[in-house]
């Protein structure tokens, strides 16, 4: 299926796609989305409606070129440790190998992060036999820094189970902090040289306001919910993420990839559908935001479509807020 990409339009319409991680590999734009199933199950806060079983890879030579679906590149049945729910992935490249990082529930129902490899950015990807040791929760996103160190960011509340890891061990009955307490932050770990394991234990990232005070759990317009993405611009690290319940993409900045990050503002106002999840990538001399909404299914939360739009910075490095409609 080939569509010509248009800003704020679905990149593909023959399948439902979400959670796009966009990268420039081999001079082309590659998008690594999750693949929503076309089913009529009901929604719940645990995310059971997001029952994805495989991954496709999309690519395009540029924004005037057709979007190519490279087909299924990894399926649940090929991942020995995983039981269900192949949620939002990311990809990275190092030393001739392409890496696909993905979350899934293990056979105990606990979300873990796995990794699969390929010699091609279009896959197919061969999964490692087990998940990354010490990994948990969802939404992996990898930044390879200018010094070639690779950082993996991850974590999501509610169905993503991040609240259950506040003591660094899984506690099934754990709940989030009180509204007036600091919010739970995403996690970050340094990846090993071979990109297949954690070189450091996961660290919680602190997100603070302009006075250096932690963003509070009750501050749903600014607190972290899920979908971390880190990119660099003019020497600053930009951590962007979804606020979940208030359905925005927001961002914070730091001089250090590990934080703390200072909250700055909103990137994208709410889209059609409950979830919002994104990536930010530079292609040639422009920057782009890839995101999803539920417009293709007229508002069904688990039947989403990937879109893109150009992203603009102000002279002071802040990002101009985007209205998707």
């Amino acid at each position: 299926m080939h569509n010509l990409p248009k800003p704020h339009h679905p990149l593909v319409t023959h399948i439902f796609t979400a959670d796009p991680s966009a990268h420039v590999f081999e001079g082309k734009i590659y998008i690594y989305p999750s693949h929503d199933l076309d089913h009529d199950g009901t929604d719940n806060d645990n995310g059971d409606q997001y029952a994805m079983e495989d991954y496709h890879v999309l690519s395009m030579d540029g924004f005037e070129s057709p979007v190519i679906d490279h087909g299924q590149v990894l399926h649940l049945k090929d991942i020995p440790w995983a039981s269900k729910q192949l949620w939002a992935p990311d990809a990275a490249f190092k030393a001739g190998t392409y890496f696909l990082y993905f979350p899934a529930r293990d056979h105990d129902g606990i979300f873990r992060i796995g990794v699969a490899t390929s010699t091609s950015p279009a896959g197919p990807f061969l999964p490692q036999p087990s998940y990354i040791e010490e990994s948990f929760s969802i939404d992996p996103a990898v930044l390879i820094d200018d010094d070639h160190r690779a950082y993996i960011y991850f974590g999501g509340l509610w169905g993503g189970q991040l609240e259950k890891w506040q003591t660094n061990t899984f506690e099934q009955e754990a709940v989030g902090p009180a509204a007036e307490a600091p919010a739970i932050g995403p996690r970050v770990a340094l990846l090993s040289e071979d990109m297949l394991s954690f070189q450091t234990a996961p660290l919680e990232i602190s997100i603070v306001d302009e006075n250096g005070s932690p963003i509070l759990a009750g501050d749903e317009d600014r607190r972290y919910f899920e979908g971390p993405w880190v990119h660099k611009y003019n020497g600053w690290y930009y951590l962007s993420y979804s606020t979940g319940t208030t359905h925005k993409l927001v961002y914070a900045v730091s001089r250090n990839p590990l934080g703390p990050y200072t909250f700055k503002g909103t990137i994208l106002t709410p889209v059609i559908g409950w979830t919002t999840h994104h990536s930010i990538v530079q292609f040639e001399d422009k920057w782009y935001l890839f995101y999803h909404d539920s417009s293709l299914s007229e508002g069904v939360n688990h039947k989403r479509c990937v879109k893109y739009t150009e992203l603009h910075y102000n002279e002071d490095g802040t990002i101009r807020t985007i209205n998707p409609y």
Side-chain angles (χ1 to χ4, degrees):
M1 288 290 184
H2 295 179
N3 287 16
L4 280 174
K6 297 178 182 178
H8 300 297
H9 285 66
L11 281 186
V12 294
T13 57
H14 65 290
I15 57 173
F16 291 112
T17 54
D19 310 317
S21 291
H23 294 272
V24 177
F25 293 139
E26 300 177 355
K28 300 179 183 181
I29 303 161
Y30 283 86
I31 303 105
Y32 300 84
S34 55
H35 175 203
D36 285 343
L37 296 181
D38 188 0
H39 71 87
D40 296 320
T42 56
D43 290 4
N44 60 42
D45 289 344
N46 197 45
D48 294 333
Q49 65 273 24
Y50 304 110
M52 299 89 98
E53 296 179 348
D54 69 349
Y55 295 112
H56 286 230
V57 174
L58 309 177
S59 74
M60 50 191 180
D61 291 345
F63 290 96
E64 305 300 323
S65 306
V67 180
I68 297 171
D69 178 0
H70 294 274
Q72 184 186 97
V73 299
L74 181 63
H75 193 279
L76 182 66
K77 63 178 171 33
D78 299 319
I79 306 167
W81 62 267
S83 64
K84 62 179 180 178
Q85 292 179 302
L86 296 185
W87 286 9
D90 191 23
F93 173 75
K94 185 178 181 181
T97 299
Y98 292 90
F99 299 87
L100 184 70
Y101 297 88
F102 59 91
R105 289 185 189 265
D106 67 14
H107 294 289
D108 294 319
I110 299 173
F111 267 110
R112 306 288 187 175
I113 295 170
V115 56
T117 59
S118 179
T119 57
S120 167
F125 287 86
L126 178 67
Q128 295 292 299
S130 186
Y131 57 79
I132 298 173
E133 190 174 344
E134 293 191 73
S135 71
F136 55 90
S137 198
I138 61 170
D139 293 352
V142 174
L143 169 74
I144 299 182
D145 208 348
D146 301 332
D147 61 4
H148 306 298
R149 291 189 177 191
Y151 299 89
I152 185 167
Y153 301 83
F154 60 93
L157 301 181
W158 295 12
Q161 302 177 336
L162 191 55
E163 295 97 329
K164 303 183 187 306
W165 288 94
Q166 293 172 85
T167 63
N168 293 322
T169 57
F170 184 80
E171 298 183 17
Q172 180 64 55
E173 304 307 317
V175 296
E180 63 274 10
I184 297 173
R187 300 301 199 269
V188 59
L190 184 66
L191 286 169
S192 58
E193 284 295 316
D194 65 6
M195 303 286 281
L196 299 176
S197 63
F198 290 171
Q199 189 169 314
T200 60
L203 173 76
E204 184 174 4
I205 290 175
S206 176
I207 303 172
V208 300
D209 65 17
E210 63 276 10
N211 299 315
S213 300
I215 300 294
L216 302 182
D219 186 353
E220 296 184 27
D221 278 316
R222 298 191 293 177
R223 66 92 174 84
Y224 178 81
F225 188 90
E226 65 185 359
W229 184 266
V230 175
H231 75 281
K232 289 185 78 173
Y233 177 77
N234 282 357
W236 288 88
Y237 297 87
Y238 286 64
L239 167 66
S240 44
Y241 55 92
S242 170
T243 60
T245 52
T246 49
H247 317 296
K248 297 189 295 184
L249 293 178
V250 298
Y251 73 105
V253 301
S254 178
R255 286 292 193 183
N256 188 319
L258 305 179
Y261 284 82
T262 302
F263 186 89
K264 282 296 181 182
T266 299
I267 296 175
L268 185 72
T269 55
V271 297
I272 295 167
W274 202 94
T275 68
T276 189
H277 192 116
H278 74 298
S279 57
I280 294 170
V281 66
Q282 184 180 19
F283 181 69
E284 296 175 344
D285 60 346
K286 293 182 178 181
W287 287 85
Y288 297 90
L289 174 75
F290 284 78
Y291 64 101
H292 70 234
D293 68 15
S294 297
S295 60
L296 187 60
S297 63
E298 299 182 346
V300 179
N301 288 330
H302 63 272
K303 298 180 185 180
R304 296 162 291 182
C305 55
V306 167
K307 299 182 172 183
Y308 83 94
T309 190
E310 192 173 344
L311 180 141
H312 298 277
Y313 300 90
N314 297 310
E315 285 189 10
D316 63 359
T318 55
I319 295 173
R320 292 185 211 166
T321 301
I322 296 166
N323 183 334
Y325 309 110

